[in-house]
Amino acid sequence: MTTRRTRPAPRPPEGTPPPAELARQARAVLADAVRIALWAADGASAGTAPLAAGALERAAAALELPPAQVRTGWDRARLAGLIELHGDTARPGWRLRAWDRDDSAVLRGWVALFDAWSLVHASPDGIEATAVAEAVEAVPQVLSLLQLSAGPVAVPALLDLLGQRVAELHDERCEVTSGPPEQSAPTDGSPTELNALLLDWALEGLASVGALTLGTGQATLTPLGNWAVWVKLEQICVAAQSPAGNIEQSAADMLLGCARLTPGPARAEYRAWLAARTVGSAVTELLAVARGEDALLRGLAFEALRVVGAPAEPVVRSVVTEAPLRPYALLWLAEYEGCDPDDAQDVLSREEATWLWVDTAAAVADHGETGLLVRHLDSAVQGTVPALLDEVRAVGHPRTVQVLVALAAAHPDPALAKAVRRAAFQVHTGGE
């Protein structure tokens, strides 16, 4: 038997300001966003994003800011979790309430904005989405070079690295091109010119959120940017040294690898996996898994999305209309908006809660123990088994028959098992 030594707590690079100073810098970057969030949360109806014209004009007048600056601040406030939309009404997010007293909340809010830099800074016109996505995916390598250099880096060196990473992405996708992609740039320039345009856009976007400063032909990470990149690199190193080590896996394999971990270690794995990817690509991959047939992965995908936080909110809100994902999305949004997890179930209708019960039972039947499936009966919102069976039959979940058959086989009460088998047969045949 061997004893694994605990890895000592990592220390930031020498010269990194203390958390209080980093939080002060983050507050300065988000000053306009905080002012706009306070205005919008103070009983003013801000409308839906982007700000409705009337609300934009009122905010600009009240805050004495240009409308464009108000709109930018509004977007940043939402991405940093300073403000939440409930219908057409803006409410303060938990980070706004903690803004003046909790440095960690401030830093998390800024990191959420840093992760979403490509949403804050519009991409150049005329470039196809694939090329933009590749550039965003290559930016972490650019940031790593800036962080390791601990000082200014010439733009040509960054351009070489970006080009190499984009070429690797093409190779990984088995894409061999003899020239520039069609419709990739507003002009008929070379791939190098396209990469240069995208690098300028990325550097400007990162500078706009306070992650770096731009000089003549060079870029330098700010203390905030240097700290954030170090944190993400450290998360990757921790994951690589951990027993789970799921960082290089697909979302589905990573989630399966975390299935038997307790919540704390599982969240650490999610964070490390997310740190190695752009927010947009990670959220897209997790939702693709959630749309699959494995109910266990569906639930775990939304657990991982809870770690993503604010940048995932618009996408999670957009899937509320998808029946298989709706209960999970509603619970995610309720908890994101500050609802106690124990009370979050109240946001679900009876039908949605029943659907979720069947989906969870399917996950248990596929991956759990029979005793756990029997105990799952106690979590149903219905007070009796006959009522549960009636509503389960009506809800139309595609796994209903398999769940009921598994439950009947597992339950020790012969009479109850018989009733469950009968319900399974009726669902299967469409009878009454």
Side-chain angles (χ1 to χ4, degrees):
M1 179 176 178
T2 59
T3 301
R4 185 168 61 89
R5 291 188 298 176
T6 302
R7 188 174 185 265
R11 297 178 63 85
E14 186 177 352
T16 302
E21 172 59 20
L22 290 171
R24 186 195 67 77
Q25 295 176 18
R27 287 186 176 98
V29 172
L30 285 161
D32 284 350
V34 170
R35 288 185 63 199
I36 292 164
L38 290 170
W39 174 85
D42 189 23
S45 177
T48 54
L51 281 171
L56 178 63
E57 294 171 359
R58 293 197 305 274
L63 300 172
E64 298 181 347
L65 295 173
Q69 193 171 344
V70 171
R71 189 178 297 281
T72 298
W74 169 261
D75 289 340
R76 293 182 176 203
R78 292 198 65 202
L79 291 168
L82 296 170
I83 201 165
E84 300 163 1
L85 285 180
H86 298 259
D88 288 340
T89 303
R91 296 179 186 171
W94 72 268
R95 284 193 179 119
L96 183 62
R97 294 190 289 268
W99 197 252
D100 293 329
R101 56 180 170 78
D102 189 339
D103 288 346
S104 66
V106 172
L107 290 173
R108 288 192 181 100
W110 182 83
V111 168
L113 177 66
F114 168 68
D115 287 339
W117 68 266
S118 60
L119 303 180
V120 175
H121 191 60
S123 59
D125 293 334
I127 299 180
E128 71 173 6
T130 301
V132 174
E134 289 172 347
V136 172
E137 195 169 347
V139 160
Q141 279 70 30
V142 172
L143 290 170
S144 296
L145 175 59
L146 285 163
Q147 197 270 341
L148 293 171
S149 299
V153 178
V155 169
L158 299 176
L159 180 59
D160 286 344
L161 181 59
L162 181 77
Q164 291 171 20
R165 181 56 184 147
V166 169
E168 290 171 359
L169 293 172
H170 286 165
D171 291 342
E172 290 169 7
R173 298 185 177 98
C174 298
E175 296 175 2
V176 180
T177 58
S178 57
E182 293 183 6
Q183 299 179 342
S184 4
T187 65
D188 294 328
S190 67
T192 300
E193 290 173 333
L194 172 61
N195 288 337
L197 183 62
L198 288 168
L199 177 64
D200 287 345
W201 164 69
L203 294 178
E204 290 168 1
L206 290 162
S208 74
V209 299
L212 53 81
T213 57
L214 297 176
T216 303
Q218 63 184 26
T220 310
L221 284 177
T222 64
L224 266 177
N226 188 67
W227 167 79
V229 176
W230 170 79
V231 168
K232 292 181 182 297
L233 290 172
E234 186 61 29
Q235 288 173 341
I236 293 171
C237 292
V238 169
Q241 296 179 22
S242 72
N246 294 294
I247 191 170
E248 295 181 356
Q249 304 295 325
S250 66
D253 290 340
M254 180 274 294
L255 294 171
L256 280 176
C258 295
R260 295 192 178 276
L261 297 178
T262 55
R267 284 192 293 270
E269 289 292 317
Y270 300 153
R271 290 190 186 98
W273 186 85
L274 291 164
R277 290 155 179 81
T278 62
V279 174
S281 65
V283 170
T284 298
E285 192 174 348
L286 288 170
L287 282 178
V289 172
R291 292 186 176 100
E293 296 182 358
D294 193 324
L296 174 66
L297 294 186
R298 186 158 29 255
L300 292 175
F302 276 87
E303 287 299 318
L305 287 169
R306 284 179 172 83
V307 175
V308 177
E313 183 263 342
V315 182
V316 172
R317 198 174 294 279
S318 72
V319 304
V320 166
T321 56
E322 300 180 31
L325 304 186
R326 179 175 174 81
Y328 295 95
L330 290 175
L331 290 175
W332 191 99
L333 291 167
E335 293 179 26
Y336 171 74
E337 291 167 359
C339 182
D340 189 298
D342 293 335
D343 300 327
Q345 292 277 346
D346 295 341
V347 305
L348 302 181
S349 68
R350 181 95 162 198
E351 183 178 5
E352 291 159 355
T354 303
W355 178 286
L356 182 61
W357 186 91
V358 178
D359 211 49
T360 306
V364 175
D366 289 343
H367 300 277
E369 301 173 356
T370 55
L372 186 58
L373 185 60
V374 173
R375 291 194 296 274
H376 184 55
L377 273 173
D378 297 334
S379 68
V381 296
Q382 294 78 7
T384 65
V385 171
L388 170 65
L389 294 177
D390 286 343
E391 294 186 34
V392 164
R393 289 169 55 194
V395 81
H397 193 289
R399 294 292 304 280
T400 298
V401 173
Q402 295 95 321
V403 164
L404 293 178
V405 169
L407 181 59
H411 207 284
D413 184 333
L416 189 147
K418 182 179 179 180
V420 174
R421 278 194 298 272
R422 184 185 305 115
F425 177 78
Q426 291 169 340
V427 173
H428 179 62
T429 60
E432 297 294 332

